[in-house]
Amino acid sequence: MPDTTVRWGVIGPGRIANRFAECLTAVPGARLVAAASRDAERARDFVARHGGERHHGDYASLFRDDGVDAIYVATPHAQHADVAIQALQAGKAVLCEKPLTVNAPQAERVFAAAKAADRFVMEAFWTRFLPVFAQVRRWLDEGRVGKVTGIESFFGYAQPRNLDDRLFRADLAGGALLDVGIYCISMSHHLFKGPLRVLETSATVGATGVDEDLRARIAVGELAVELRMHASMTQKFYNSFRIEGSEGEILVTEPFWDSGQAILLRRGEAPVASHAPYVVNGFEYQVREVQRCMQAGLLQSDVVPWADTLAVMRCMDEIRAAVGVRYPFE
């Protein structure tokens, strides 16, 4: 790999991959080289739109492309594990959309493949890198809200009810938990670390066998701070992330997973707002981290370490088991 350039390939050139490609202009040394899709025209259009050099009509051709150093995986959830493992075995670094896999055993396979290939892999949990959450952590470290007593997080939207859409398909690992609830859990774990213990959960499971609406109470970290979360594909919420404390609270405003504003509310004091706009669209921070780790010869990032991905995945496995959601390929 050149000392200062990371040549990127993309698998699954859809909506989220467009956002990835757009952010590369803000990452020194990042260059989009190629894209692959089972629909060759889709890959061709993506490369033309974003200034890439070539396209591939199958994934294997991209794995064999010697001009690619790292691959961004943006396929449906159910394909993540196999695609990531094949990319790692081909000698590529991997940034794979969240959830990294659909269950913990699959994630363990991915990390084993990364170790065997001596290649970097990271779940693309871009929200962990946003400047607004760095400010939230500073306020917590300074004790600005006193003793933390709880977390409340909502992620809900009214998805059009198309049962052929990936979100409603069990064979593609659809459902509210893996698509949006993961943000509530992962960001809580990011801020408070430690074990995740499911206290209570309930869900509305639709005709296709996926969780369409899900609630959970989860103890987070050594202090067992309670997360109360609600994830939904059928209801639109004010999608905030709120940390409650003995002396006040911190509110990451809607939509919290893509927010540029946090508000510190201390009792008896005027609110303090922190604004943290992006350079491009927020994806640039995770790409910078991948390239930093690659240049340093690291296999994982300390912002989204493998242990964190596994902890969150095991928690979600436990929740799915409790509400009776199992994918047909498991």
Side-chain angles (χ1 to χ4, degrees), residues 156-161 168 232-237:
Y157 58 100
Q159 175 71 18
R161 196 169 186 76
F168 290 94
S232 182
M233 302 191 305
T234 60
Q235 302 182 66
K236 174 68 177 76
F237 304 141

Side-chain angles (χ1 to χ4, degrees), residues 26-301:
V27 183
R31 181 159 60 92
L32 177 66
V33 171
S37 172
R38 289 166 180 163
D39 180 343
E41 286 305 309
R42 193 178 184 203
R44 185 197 306 273
D45 291 346
F46 183 88
V47 167
R49 185 162 59 253
H50 295 292
E53 298 175 10
R54 53 190 172 272
H55 71 282
H56 300 284
D58 60 87
Y59 301 165
S61 296
L62 181 57
F63 298 148
R64 294 192 297 268
D65 191 329
D66 291 335
V68 171
D69 305 306
I71 292 177
Y72 173 69
V73 179
T75 61
H77 305 337
Q79 299 175 19
H80 285 182
D82 287 345
V83 173
I85 288 170
Q86 291 175 54
L88 290 163
Q89 291 173 341
K92 313 300 185 186
V94 172
L95 174 64
C96 182
E97 259 310 315
K98 60 86 205 156
L100 178 74
T101 59
V102 303
N103 56 42
Q106 285 188 352
E108 290 168 346
R109 287 175 48 217
V110 170
F111 297 141
K115 286 182 181 179
D118 195 31
R119 288 296 181 269
F120 177 89
V121 66
M122 187 180 85
E123 182 179 34
F125 223 105
W126 65 288
T127 305
R128 287 190 173 213
F129 296 91
L130 296 185
V132 68
F133 279 97
Q135 179 60 67
V136 169
R137 188 182 291 280
R138 285 192 291 271
W139 283 336
L140 290 172
D141 290 345
E142 293 165 1
R144 301 293 292 277
V145 296
K147 179 182 177 181
V148 174
T149 56
I151 309 164
E152 186 176 65
S153 186
F154 298 91
F155 195 150
Y157 58 100
Q159 175 71 18
R161 196 169 186 76
N162 174 7
L163 299 187
D164 291 327
D165 188 283
R166 68 167 184 88
L167 293 171
F168 290 94
R169 289 178 54 177
D171 62 321
L172 296 181
L177 179 62
L178 263 62
D179 198 60
V180 296
I182 186 174
Y183 283 94
C184 307
I185 301 171
S186 184
M187 292 313 298
S188 299
H189 188 256
H190 176 57
L191 292 169
F192 296 99
K193 299 300 182 185
L196 293 166
R197 183 163 53 91
V198 180
L199 304 176
E200 183 181 19
T201 189
S202 62
T204 299
V205 179
T208 60
V210 304
D211 51 301
E212 298 183 5
D213 188 275
L214 183 141
R215 297 173 184 263
R217 293 171 47 239
I218 301 168
V220 183
E222 298 297 340
L223 299 178
V225 175
E226 184 175 305
L227 163 65
R228 302 183 304 279
M229 60 167 280
H230 191 174
S232 182
M233 302 191 305
T234 60
Q235 302 182 66
K236 174 68 177 76
F237 304 141
Y238 180 79
N239 294 309
S240 60
F241 188 94
R242 186 166 66 91
I243 301 169
E244 305 155 341
S246 58
E247 299 176 19
E249 63 183 59
I250 297 169
L251 176 68
V252 182
T253 58
E254 208 261 0
F256 78 85
W257 66 90
D258 192 7
S259 183
Q261 178 176 255
I263 302 172
L264 174 65
L265 300 158
R266 284 173 52 89
R267 295 189 179 93
E269 299 181 8
V272 175
S274 174
H275 298 278
Y278 311 146
V279 177
V280 179
N281 61 22
F283 273 38
E284 56 269 23
Y285 306 105
Q286 66 174 351
V287 178
R288 290 177 183 176
E289 173 69 359
V290 173
Q291 298 193 175
R292 181 193 71 82
C293 291
M294 291 176 66
Q295 296 292 344
L298 303 175
L299 300 190
Q300 59 182 303
S301 163

